[in-house]
Amino acid sequence: QVQLQQWGAGLLKPSEPLSLTCAVYNGSFNNYYWSWIRQPPGKGLEWIGEINHRGSPNYNPSFKSRVTLLVDTSKKQVSLKLRFVTAADTAVYYCAKGGAHDPFEVWGQGTVVTVSS
Amino acid sequence: DIQMTQSPSSLSASVGDRVTITCQANQDITNYLNWYQQKPGQAPKFLIYAASNLETGVPSRFSGSGSGAHFTLTISSLQPEDIGTYYCQQYDNLPYTFGQGTKLELK
């Protein structure tokens, strides 16, 4: 069973970059898309973007100017970088196996990111 | 973006009740609709794909139906472990979008 382990800085100041990494264990990395999804406190889920093992990303236009997704196939890792964060970016960020019309069938444990001065 | 609207936003039911949650898209999404369950403090769990196909290991009391723009998630006999928030998600068009969630509580 695929497992996802994610990590990254949890406390940021406004305008700093957000950087999170997600590692894939116990399963195939290639032939799938990997997505990032976030959930502000007490709110619903918002899809940020997806990337495959070839490094081909698709982004939510709401984030497109600030977000970059990267992949390291040798380490079976995907990473999320979000520039110029504000308090509105405070959320739990999840990586998930899925995208490209596949369901988000496996999720990481989530990383709480707080943006505060 | 495709807008997904769930109803009700919250629901209180008793053990053994039949529970139905609806999800409406603002355009035809064929059957490109998934359902997730989220318990407090946990990541969402994938339940149903393509509107009506149960993920392996999901109890058979869960079922999904619908096509076009109107979908339902039904729990035939509510169990205490079913408490949580349920989300629908469309994958017909990018960006993928979720409903706002339906919080299911025990009466």
Side-chain angles (χ1 to χ4, degrees):
Chain A
Q1 170 72 326
V2 171
Q3 291 183 307
L4 306 181
Q5 180 78 29
Q6 54 182 107
W7 64 89
L11 181 59
L12 299 172
K13 293 184 178 351
S15 81
E16 290 183 339
L18 178 157
S19 181
L20 300 176
T21 301
C22 175
V24 179
Y25 298 101
N26 302 326
S28 175
F29 184 76
N30 296 349
N31 302 316
Y32 294 105
Y33 268 79
W34 306 90
S35 288
W36 289 92
I37 296 158
R38 76 178 186 180
Q39 186 170 36
K43 296 189 177 180
L45 300 162
E46 183 176 31
W47 179 77
I48 300 170
E50 64 186 9
I51 192 166
N52 66 3
H53 70 283
R54 296 187 181 88
S56 300
N58 292 304
Y59 299 125
N60 187 328
S62 297
F63 299 94
K64 194 166 187 177
S65 63
R66 297 194 293 139
V67 68
T68 301
L69 298 189
L70 299 170
V71 63
D72 186 333
T73 54
S74 65
K75 295 182 179 178
K76 295 171 66 174
Q77 292 178 358
V78 294
S79 60
L80 164 69
K81 299 185 186 305
L82 186 65
R83 295 176 288 279
F84 307 116
V85 298
T86 69
D89 294 310
T90 294
V92 178
Y93 287 75
Y94 295 100
C95 61
K97 176 188 175 186
H101 307 287
D102 285 338
F104 305 121
E105 60 179 15
V106 181
W107 295 64
Q109 81 276 19
T111 301
V112 177
V113 175
T114 302
V115 181
S116 174
S117 55
Chain B
D1 297 4
I2 296 176
Q3 305 259 7
M4 307 300 293
T5 303
Q6 291 180 229
S7 61
S9 295
S10 63
L11 174 59
S12 182
S14 300
V15 173
D17 282 354
R18 182 180 181 88
V19 171
T20 298
I21 297 169
T22 66
C23 176
Q24 181 105 16
N26 66 348
Q27 66 184 67
D28 190 333
I29 59 170
T30 318
N31 68 331
Y32 297 142
L33 190 285
N34 300 321
W35 288 97
Y36 302 85
Q37 173 197 63
Q38 185 177 34
K39 298 184 179 182
Q42 296 184 18
K45 174 187 174 185
F46 167 51
L47 296 178
I48 290 172
Y49 68 99
S52 60
N53 296 280
L54 221 60
E55 166 70 335
T56 302
V58 173
S60 59
R61 62 181 179 273
F62 289 89
S63 63
S65 64
S67 64
H70 188 79
F71 303 88
T72 60
L73 171 69
T74 300
I75 307 173
S76 61
S77 178
L78 184 67
Q79 300 301 304
E81 59 267 30
D82 300 335
I83 296 316
T85 301
Y86 291 81
Y87 294 94
C88 60
Q89 173 243 330
Q90 67 80 20
Y91 57 100
D92 182 53
N93 278 351
L94 292 177
Y96 310 124
T97 49
F98 294 84
Q100 82 280 14
T102 295
K103 187 174 184 179
L104 178 57
E105 298 174 320
L106 270 181
K107 192 179 291 183

